[in-house]
């Protein structure tokens, strides 16, 4: 790579190195004009462009130019300042995206697990404020059914048994229902239901063990347990409530160079889903 292809900047004392083509993504911006020596405010000193602006916020400017999308940390709060910086550099598509602050801010997500024991069976119902989280969790949980030789919680699972996976009950997009344990079917046959929760490969039949694995999986996925309570003492329904900050959908710019546009970028706004 030749020295002409690299550009060195000192923004508020923070040093950046990038390609000239990255700064020229939007030809009418001040950064593109700087590279073309067409903006007298940006001075070249000892091979570096000196820019008297906020260096920390400029890192987000650079990330946008490299990826053409806005993806900010969950604890980010300087939306107006970053929008002002985008306007200063003439990056108006970025400033337009930042004006939609409500789409970029992370949102509080609530998840509730209800658990009850009835004889030799355990019942689970999971409610979530975000349907995509419930969909992702439903892909992790599998219920298997098969004939059980023993009749207790601790009857061991045998790899020789033929188990059939069952679909989870989905009353709505925001909840799911499943159960585990043993019960009787027609002809006094003992039917067992095992639960597996990825990435753990075990097939568990004991409701308390399944509950422990489920809660541990949610904690590892970034949820925080905020309360436990008994919903219905007669039925012994326990309720575990979790919360986490869900990263918002990123906003992206699709740039197309069209004939006759004199190199001016045509921007189209779109949304990109980030994480679960």
């Amino acid at each position: 790579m030749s020295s002409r292809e690299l550009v060195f900047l000192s923004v508020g004392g923070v040093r950046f190195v990038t390609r000239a083509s990255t700064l020229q993504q939007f030809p009418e911006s001040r950064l593109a004009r700087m590279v073309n020596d067409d903006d007298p405010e940006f001075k070249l000193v000892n091979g570096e462009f000196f820019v008297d602006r906020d260096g920390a916020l400029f890192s987000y400017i650079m990330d946008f130019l490299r990826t053409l999308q806005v993806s900010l940390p969950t604890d980010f709060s300087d939306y107006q300042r970053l929008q002002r910086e985008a306007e200063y550099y003439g990056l108006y598509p970025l400033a337009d995206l930042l004006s939609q602050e409500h789409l970029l801010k992370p949102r509080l997500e609530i998840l509730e697990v209800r658990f009850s024991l009835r004889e030799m069976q355990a019942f689970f119902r999971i409610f979530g404020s975000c349907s995509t989280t419930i969909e992702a969790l439903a892909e992790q949980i599998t219920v298997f059914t098969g004939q059980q030789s023993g009749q207790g919680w601790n009857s061991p699972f045998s790899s020789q048994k033929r188990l059939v996976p069952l679909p989870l009950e989905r009353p709505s997009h925001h909840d799911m229902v499943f159960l585990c344990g043993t019960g009787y079917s027609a002809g006094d046959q003992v039917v067992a239901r095992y639960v597996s929760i990825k990435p753990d490969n075990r097939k568990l039949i004991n409701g308390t063990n399944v509950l422990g694995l489920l809660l541990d999986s949610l904690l590892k996925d970034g949820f925080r347990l905020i309360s436990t309570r008994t919903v219905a003492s007669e039925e012994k329904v326990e309720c575990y409530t979790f919360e986490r900050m869900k990263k918002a959908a990123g906003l992206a710019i699709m740039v197309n160079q069209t004939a006759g546009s004199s190199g001016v970028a045509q921007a189209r706004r779109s949304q990109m889903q980030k994480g679960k």
Side-chain angles (χ1 to χ4, degrees):
M1 184 180 297
S2 68
S3 59
R4 287 188 176 184
E5 290 179 303
L6 290 179
V7 179
F8 300 85
L9 303 94
S10 177
V11 183
V14 181
R15 192 168 186 264
F16 296 88
V17 181
T18 187
R19 296 171 181 265
S21 58
T22 299
L23 298 174
Q24 293 171 324
Q25 287 276 21
F26 298 89
E28 292 187 340
S29 71
R30 296 189 66 184
L31 292 173
R33 297 204 305 269
M34 175 191 72
V35 174
N36 298 328
D37 297 323
D38 195 25
D39 194 312
E41 186 171 338
F42 298 129
K43 304 295 184 182
L44 191 62
V45 180
N46 297 326
E48 291 187 353
F49 285 101
F50 174 74
V51 183
D52 190 18
R53 303 293 293 189
D54 190 306
L57 291 179
F58 191 73
S59 65
Y60 299 115
I61 300 283
M62 286 303 307
D63 183 66
F64 169 75
L65 291 174
R66 288 167 175 149
T67 65
L68 297 180
Q69 60 183 275
V70 183
S71 182
L72 301 171
T74 55
D75 59 349
F76 186 82
S77 59
D78 289 335
Y79 293 93
Q80 292 184 349
R81 290 183 59 213
L82 184 55
Q83 182 180 354
R84 186 169 65 241
E85 293 299 291
E87 291 172 346
Y88 171 81
Y89 292 112
L91 296 170
Y92 297 109
L94 173 58
D96 178 53
L97 293 184
L98 290 167
S99 68
Q100 302 175 76
E101 184 178 333
H102 65 287
L103 296 178
L104 293 167
K105 281 186 174 181
R107 292 177 292 176
L108 183 64
E109 181 180 358
I110 301 295
L111 192 78
E112 183 178 277
V113 177
R114 294 195 176 191
F115 168 73
S116 65
L117 288 174
R118 300 175 191 172
E119 297 181 351
M120 301 303 294
Q121 291 186 328
F123 295 79
F124 295 83
R125 187 162 190 173
I126 304 175
F127 301 86
S129 61
C130 179
S131 61
T132 56
T133 297
I134 296 296
E135 293 289 346
L137 194 56
E139 293 179 359
Q140 291 178 253
I141 299 174
T142 306
V143 177
F144 298 90
T145 184
Q147 298 298 318
Q148 172 72 316
S149 57
Q151 298 184 19
W153 281 107
N154 298 315
S155 298
F157 164 73
S158 171
S159 59
Q160 301 301 317
K161 296 176 182 176
R162 183 176 179 274
L163 297 181
V164 179
L166 292 177
L168 300 179
E169 292 184 43
R170 296 296 308 277
S172 75
H173 293 297
H174 289 272
D175 63 336
M176 71 175 77
V177 177
F178 62 93
L179 62 88
C180 65
T182 57
Y184 291 96
S185 63
D188 292 332
Q189 292 285 332
V190 178
V191 177
R193 289 196 181 193
Y194 299 84
V195 173
S196 179
I197 304 177
K198 297 177 182 178
D200 194 301
N201 292 320
R202 292 174 296 170
K203 293 179 175 65
L204 304 176
I205 194 171
N206 185 298
T208 302
N209 293 341
V210 173
L211 176 64
L213 179 58
L214 175 60
L215 300 186
D216 185 59
S217 299
L218 293 174
L219 292 173
K220 289 180 179 178
D221 204 27
F223 281 97
R224 183 171 67 94
L225 180 64
I226 58 174
S227 72
T228 60
R229 68 186 192 278
T230 300
V231 178
S233 57
E234 300 82 6
E235 299 179 358
K236 298 181 180 179
V237 178
E238 300 174 7
C239 180
Y240 300 82
T241 304
F242 294 81
E243 70 174 17
R244 73 173 175 183
M245 294 303 294
K246 180 177 174 61
K247 190 173 178 62
L251 295 181
I253 289 289
M254 303 301 294
V255 178
N256 298 310
Q257 298 292 342
T258 58
S261 63
S262 302
V264 177
Q266 304 296 319
R268 177 173 63 83
R269 187 183 310 126
S270 67
Q271 289 195 23
M272 299 184 65
Q273 184 66 36
K274 289 288 186 182
K276 53 186 175 182

